[in-house]
Amino acid sequence: MSFSLDDLLITPGKPADLKKRDPRETFGFDKDKAPDELEKLNTKLVDLQTRLAAEAGQSLLVVLQGLDASGKDGTIRHVFSGVNPQGCSVTSFGAPERSELAQDYLWRIHRSVPRKGQIGIFNRSHYEDVLVVRVESLRPEKVWRARYRHIREFERMLVEEGTTIVKIFLDVSPEEQLARFTERVEVPEKQWKFRSADLEVHKKYDEYRAAYEEALTETSTDLAPWYAVPADRNWLRNLAVSHILVDTLKKMDPKYPEPQVDAAAIAELKAAKAD
Ligand code: ADP
């Protein structure tokens, strides 16, 4: 069994309709087969990334968003294992610092977009500026609402200048989120992840999901689409994200540049050595 990326795509111009999406969905995939499948996808990802770096003409920006404990860190760890670290950057966006607050909200984002030839992964992003900012009432509605338009236009500019953008929403259920928070309290190796604010965030699950619903609907575009990935099962989540990335990179079709090999010079050197 396999799934089509259309199952995950938030179709531009249509409501995201998150209530129709099930965070526990498996699309008929078999968990036992997932490791092999993931390895195959990983091999493809590594090859495509090598080409992207060699070509050095276009870049890929992967925006990862999701509620707390939706598995953003785990996704990065699994999906990008084996990828050359020199060709990738991960930027995590937390609450803006004073110096960042003194600028417009896209300033810190823009300076972190990947260079040509690179894959840039955003662990949280400018979308926090229409999500947490909305739910926690950090700015008035008039301010965050105008940002949907800024974001669409900003992303259009990036795409037209050679950055491919793919945006992934990790969709975790409230039950699974609570189970993961509980694990953070109970398992000593996970306690470092626990923040008391987690519980407050959990209480606001519905508000966050509603904010996501609107943000995804407003900003999934043909140029920079959103995908909603069911995130209650880690193995399915990793598989789906790998699929999306491999598919996106294939469409980018990065190519090795024309070789500039001077065969005659090499032959001359070899001949000189042999003398
Ligand atoms: P994570 O939860 O992703 O592992 P952190 O514990 O550092 O990482 O949490 C980052 C926090 O920063 C989140 O609570 C997130 O909502 C917040 N944050 C990110 N961007 C913004 C922003 N633009 N404005 C306010 N808060 C933000």
Side-chain angles (χ1 to χ4, degrees):
M1 194 74 187
S2 73
F3 59 88
S4 146
L5 291 189
D6 286 345
D7 293 333
L8 307 175
L9 178 71
I10 307 281
T11 309
K14 297 226 171 105
D17 236 347
L18 293 181
K19 29 183 197 316
K20 287 203 185 136
R21 294 175 188 263
D22 177 7
R24 296 194 66 73
E25 177 67 78
T26 61
F27 303 103
F29 264 108
D30 188 348
K31 184 180 177 185
D32 294 341
K33 300 205 176 106
D36 280 355
E37 188 68 21
L38 191 63
E39 204 179 311
K40 276 189 219 152
L41 286 165
N42 194 259
T43 307
K44 288 184 190 163
L45 188 66
V46 169
D47 172 59
L48 286 158
Q49 190 242 337
T50 310
R51 289 165 189 271
L52 188 77
E55 181 192 63
Q58 48 182 340
S59 53
L60 174 63
L61 171 60
V62 183
V63 172
L64 262 189
Q65 281 285 161
L67 294 170
D68 283 357
S70 58
K72 297 182 288 297
D73 295 335
T75 303
I76 296 171
R77 216 170 40 247
H78 285 98
V79 171
F80 290 93
S81 73
V83 170
N84 182 352
Q86 289 201 85
C88 274
S89 59
V90 180
T91 314
S92 299
F93 292 98
E97 292 166 7
R98 255 168 83 105
S99 61
E100 292 170 334
L101 283 170
Q103 307 280 345
D104 69 85
Y105 70 100
L106 288 173
W107 176 81
R108 65 175 184 163
I109 305 296
H110 198 180
R111 64 206 291 265
S112 304
V113 299
R115 284 185 285 127
K116 290 187 187 352
Q118 297 265 313
I119 300 179
I121 303 146
F122 281 1
N123 182 352
R124 302 187 189 268
S125 65
H126 43 309
Y127 283 94
E128 293 294 329
D129 293 287
V130 290
L131 293 165
V132 65
V133 166
R134 171 184 185 165
V135 175
E136 305 300 336
S137 304
L138 301 179
R139 302 300 303 274
E141 175 166 354
K142 192 165 153 266
V143 171
W144 60 254
R145 195 163 278 287
R147 293 178 173 174
Y148 295 139
R149 177 172 46 80
H150 305 161
I151 290 174
R152 285 192 298 266
E153 289 172 3
F154 170 64
E155 291 180 354
R156 166 181 286 277
M157 182 277 291
L158 293 179
V159 172
E160 289 180 353
E161 290 287 325
T163 301
T164 295
I165 304 178
V166 65
K167 302 179 291 198
I168 297 173
F169 166 56
L170 300 180
D171 191 13
V172 70
S173 68
E175 297 77 23
E176 182 61 26
Q177 188 189 46
L178 187 57
R180 290 180 187 180
F181 285 154
T182 309
E183 218 189 350
R184 285 182 187 178
V185 174
E186 291 172 355
V187 178
E189 293 76 28
K190 297 203 170 176
Q191 280 168 353
W192 64 274
K193 286 191 188 176
F194 183 77
R195 296 173 302 162
S196 48
D198 286 350
L199 301 180
E200 292 310 308
V201 167
H202 179 67
K203 286 185 201 153
K204 292 184 178 169
Y205 179 94
D206 289 341
E207 281 177 73
Y208 271 102
R209 206 151 189 267
Y212 267 102
E213 167 87 37
E214 189 172 278
L216 301 186
T217 303
E218 288 283 340
T219 60
S220 194
T221 60
D222 290 324
L223 285 176
W226 272 107
Y227 293 91
V229 165
D232 274 16
R233 301 173 203 261
N234 294 350
W235 62 269
L236 188 280
R237 172 203 77 197
N238 295 340
L239 217 50
V241 173
S242 287
H243 257 288
I244 294 167
L245 298 184
V246 167
D247 186 73
T248 305
L249 276 158
K250 272 190 186 158
K251 286 191 191 130
M252 291 169 74
D253 193 21
K255 292 193 177 65
Y256 288 112
E258 281 300 313
Q260 300 194 336
V261 181
D262 191 340
I266 299 278
E268 210 172 282
L269 263 183
K270 275 176 136 180
K273 267 252 153 73
D275 286 344

